[in-house]
Every structure is written in C-alpha cells, then in structure tokens.
Amino acid sequence: MRFITAKRNGTCSETGKVIETGQETVYDPSTKRLFHQDSLTAQNLRGQQFAQAWNMSDADA
C-alpha cells in the first residue's frame, strides 16, 4: 500500500467516505482499493512509515 493523490473522485473501501480529486489517499495496488485519509488503514500505514523512518523495532509489524 502507498499514499497517492487521487486522480478522480472515489469512495473509501473501509469507511464509505467520499475521496475527492486531488485528496491524499491510500491505494492498495494488489486489491485496487482506495482508503480515505481518516480511515484506520491510512492511520496504520502512517504509523508503519513513521516507524521505518526512525528505525523502530516494530517497523515491520
């Protein structure tokens, strides 16, 4: 999964919130699903990226 800028409007697969063009969103290329920036999936990805950036022991959890 990775953060992207939405190229078109969509709907979050987790929360059902609207994702507007130009908004930061999480994209899962294996399932082709989008997640709103307020979703639990996006929060978890932010945490993983933070942990990896600071070489924390739980970075790959």
Side-chain angles (χ1 to χ4, degrees), residues 20-45:
E20 298 180 1
T21 302
Q23 187 175 19
E24 183 182 77
T25 186
V26 173
Y27 175 65
D28 183 353
S30 64
T31 61
K32 298 184 179 180
R33 293 169 59 184
L34 291 174
F35 298 92
H36 192 273
Q37 59 189 352
D38 294 337
S39 69
L40 183 59
T41 301
Q43 291 174 10
N44 288 339
L45 183 57

